[in-house]
Amino acid sequence: MQNYHHSGHAKIIGIGRDVEGLRSNGTTFPMHLSGGRADTPTGQIYVGICHNLTDYKNALLKLHAAGRS
């Protein structure tokens, strides 16, 4: 968040990155995380969006495997 705070960009959704998410049971999963800052009449807010990429990554693996056969 400090990168957004000091950059001066007030976009709602910034360029995200793929990271490893952690479930409450301790297992991990692939996710895409993006965030940003918005200026509102009552002050600044920070917005974060997480997308679980498990199904997407599994579909890519299936496509890759199908291309080999």
Side-chain angles (χ1 to χ4, degrees):
M1 286 294 137
Q2 283 193 5
N3 288 340
Y4 288 106
H5 181 70
H6 296 297
S7 70
H9 298 285
K11 293 190 276 184
I12 294 294
I13 304 302
I15 297 173
R17 64 185 67 183
D18 290 353
V19 297
E20 193 172 75
L22 181 64
R23 293 184 182 95
S24 60
N25 67 5
T27 61
T28 60
F29 64 98
M31 74 174 188
H32 186 82
L33 174 64
S34 57
R37 183 186 78 199
D39 295 316
T40 72
T42 58
Q44 295 177 346
I45 61 171
Y46 289 91
V47 178
I49 298 178
C50 303
H51 294 272
N52 185 329
L53 298 177
T54 302
D55 291 340
Y56 173 73
K57 298 277 185 169
N58 288 338
L60 287 179
L61 288 173
K62 286 181 182 179
L63 283 172
H64 182 71
R68 289 182 172 200
S69 31

